[in-house]
Amino acid sequence: CSTYRVQPPFQLSTPVRRPALQSVPTQVSGCNTASSIDGLVHKLVDKGASNFVQLVKAIRDPQQAKQLQKFRNLPRDDANARAVVLTGIAIASQADVHVARLIHCRALVLLADTLDRTKDGRQNVDPVEFKNILAQLELDQTKENLGWIQRMYSEGKSFRPLVSLYGGLLCFLAMVNNRRLYVRLKNDKLKEFQDAISHYRHLWDAGHNLLGILEGEDKKFTFESWDTKDMSEDSLQPLLRVL
């Protein structure tokens, strides 16, 4: 396949550092109780609209748009190139912390999807494929870097069940500090969580549209035509629709 190297400003020194925004496992007692599910939901939706407005404003920043342009210019059907370039941007990003987290989360999912497509019936990804990704990122194939890209792949896979019903949820996960509490939800607890968040479809739909904007779609939210400085959470809710 074609090689898409990460050019400046995405050129990285080696050995690569792990992205500073990668979350650290957090132990929480009672993680599998109903009240904890409620708590996880409230972390996402309390001030969800106002936080989302700030995230969109940060993504609209001209400097951030310039960083994303290389990714946006790639063909939408070239999944490998898109995963590699966005991973490079995620590592090198000096953006607003929540924008950087969103880019990182989206890169994780794209990278996992890309590597899984190489399995060709095998249970595991061929180690050669991890080396190919490092080569396209112009990173040395050291033990440290191979371990890092494998961790990226594993984390990306862990996101997929969580966002399987609402892809836009990814935008809101990028705004919390303890994402591993969410990706640990499995089976009945995951179903309970997804049932609970189904009441906030307006947020996840807004997130879905923001992912489209992140990838180059020409969309504008209603609130972008308003002065939202002193607006309450309730007033912002209906303005999350796209024009």
Side-chain angles (χ1 to χ4, degrees):
C1 61
S2 301
T3 298
Y4 292 82
R5 296 194 178 279
V6 181
Q7 301 295 335
F10 313 127
Q11 187 77 25
L12 306 177
S13 59
T14 50
V16 68
R17 60 177 174 85
R18 290 184 64 182
L21 297 168
Q22 190 152 326
S23 53
V24 177
T26 305
Q27 297 295 333
V28 175
S29 61
C31 185
N32 56 356
T33 66
S35 59
S36 292
I37 294 293
D38 290 341
L40 291 177
V41 172
H42 282 293
K43 284 180 182 295
L44 295 172
V45 304
D46 289 353
K47 298 186 178 180
S50 54
N51 289 339
F52 183 79
V53 167
Q54 296 306 311
L55 179 62
V56 172
K57 288 180 179 178
I59 285 180
R60 295 295 196 192
D61 179 83
Q63 186 60 36
Q64 185 59 58
K66 182 179 179 181
Q67 280 197 353
L68 287 167
Q69 198 57 49
K70 181 179 177 65
F71 172 68
R72 290 169 170 168
N73 288 341
L74 293 169
R76 294 298 292 270
D77 60 353
D78 196 335
N80 180 71
R82 293 170 68 77
V84 168
V85 169
L86 194 61
T87 300
I89 296 173
I91 300 167
S93 178
Q94 301 297 319
D96 169 90
V97 63
H98 292 144
V99 176
R101 283 176 176 167
L102 177 56
I103 293 171
H104 179 62
C105 291
R106 184 62 180 144
L108 290 173
V109 174
L110 285 178
L111 189 66
D113 289 346
T114 295
L115 286 166
D116 275 347
R117 279 191 289 269
T118 69
K119 287 183 178 179
D120 195 24
R122 297 185 300 270
Q123 184 176 358
N124 299 313
V125 175
D126 190 321
V128 171
E129 300 298 339
F130 292 109
K131 294 179 180 179
N132 288 341
I133 295 292
L134 289 178
Q136 292 173 73
L137 286 168
E138 295 190 331
L139 298 176
D140 293 339
Q141 295 178 15
T142 63
K143 181 178 179 180
E144 180 186 17
N145 287 349
L146 284 169
W148 168 76
I149 202 68
Q150 288 165 352
R151 288 191 297 271
M152 292 273 285
Y153 167 66
S154 296
E155 191 172 355
K157 285 200 305 179
S158 70
F159 270 112
R160 288 191 304 211
L162 189 62
V163 300
S164 60
L165 295 184
Y166 309 110
L169 175 63
L170 196 66
C171 296
F172 294 84
L173 290 171
M175 293 188 281
V176 297
N177 294 323
N178 49 357
R179 297 190 303 276
R180 288 189 183 274
L181 296 181
Y182 294 86
V183 299
R184 286 175 178 169
L185 297 173
K186 308 294 182 185
N187 305 320
D188 290 346
K189 287 302 170 185
L190 177 58
K191 176 65 165 56
E192 183 181 347
F193 173 76
Q194 290 176 329
D195 287 345
I197 65 173
S198 66
H199 303 292
Y200 304 94
R201 282 289 301 273
H202 63 289
L203 293 178
W204 323 138
D205 288 346
H208 173 77
N209 286 317
L210 182 55
L211 289 178
I213 291 170
L214 183 73
E215 301 195 10
E217 293 181 9
D218 185 16
K219 294 180 177 180
K220 186 176 180 179
F221 291 101
T222 303
F223 66 77
E224 293 185 85
S225 300
W226 291 63
D227 181 0
T228 60
K229 182 178 179 181
D230 297 318
M231 279 192 176
S232 67
E233 187 74 9
D234 288 342
S235 298
L236 286 171
Q237 301 285 350
L239 303 182
L240 299 182
R241 297 188 300 269
V242 293
L243 294 172

